[in-house]
Amino acid sequence: MLDDLILIALLLSAYLYWFNGQQAKEVALRAVRANCLDLDVQMLDEYVALNSIRLKRDHAGKVRVRRVFLFEFSSTGNERYNGVCIMLGRGVESIQMEPYRFDG
């Protein structure tokens, strides 16, 4: 009986971890799309890839999950540049992009 409860608790914890990760990925994708539109660059592949995950304290001192997502973009259509979206909990901490060439 106790073994079954432990197994159910582990499965539920794994599902919640996965579900929260998917939500964070969707928020990161929307933020990167919006940032690319604001900067008039093209987000390539419409995809963000999880690069790292760890725990970090926020400004209030609360422990949050920090996820780093990678993405690619292009400014002219000929080159590919890399970008990073850092999520702290469910919020975007920062979006960083490599210096890129633009045709103005």
Side-chain angles (χ1 to χ4, degrees):
M1 177 75 174
L2 184 59
D3 291 341
D4 293 337
L5 290 176
I6 292 172
L7 179 62
I8 290 170
L10 286 174
L11 290 173
L12 182 61
S13 296
Y15 172 75
L16 291 174
Y17 173 79
W18 173 84
F19 184 74
N20 286 334
Q22 291 300 312
Q23 285 183 326
K25 186 175 182 177
E26 285 298 318
V27 170
L29 183 59
R30 284 194 302 271
V32 168
R33 279 183 188 146
N35 191 58
C36 287
L37 280 174
D38 289 345
L39 297 175
D40 199 27
V41 297
Q42 178 185 7
M43 182 180 177
L44 300 175
D45 305 326
E46 290 294 317
Y47 182 74
V48 292
L50 182 64
N51 185 51
S52 69
I53 187 169
R54 68 181 181 99
L55 298 176
K56 182 181 176 186
R57 292 191 185 274
D58 63 10
H59 298 297
K62 189 172 182 181
V63 176
R64 301 277 186 190
V65 177
R66 180 180 186 263
R67 293 176 175 92
V68 177
F69 293 96
L70 304 178
F71 64 95
E72 291 184 331
F73 67 97
S74 178
S75 59
T76 63
N78 294 327
E79 301 92 5
R80 294 178 84 93
Y81 299 99
N82 296 312
V84 176
C85 178
I86 301 173
M87 302 282 298
L88 188 57
R90 292 186 182 172
V92 177
E93 186 175 84
S94 68
I95 297 177
Q96 303 161 6
M97 300 168 77
E98 285 183 344
Y100 57 90
R101 180 179 10 183
F102 61 95
D103 296 330

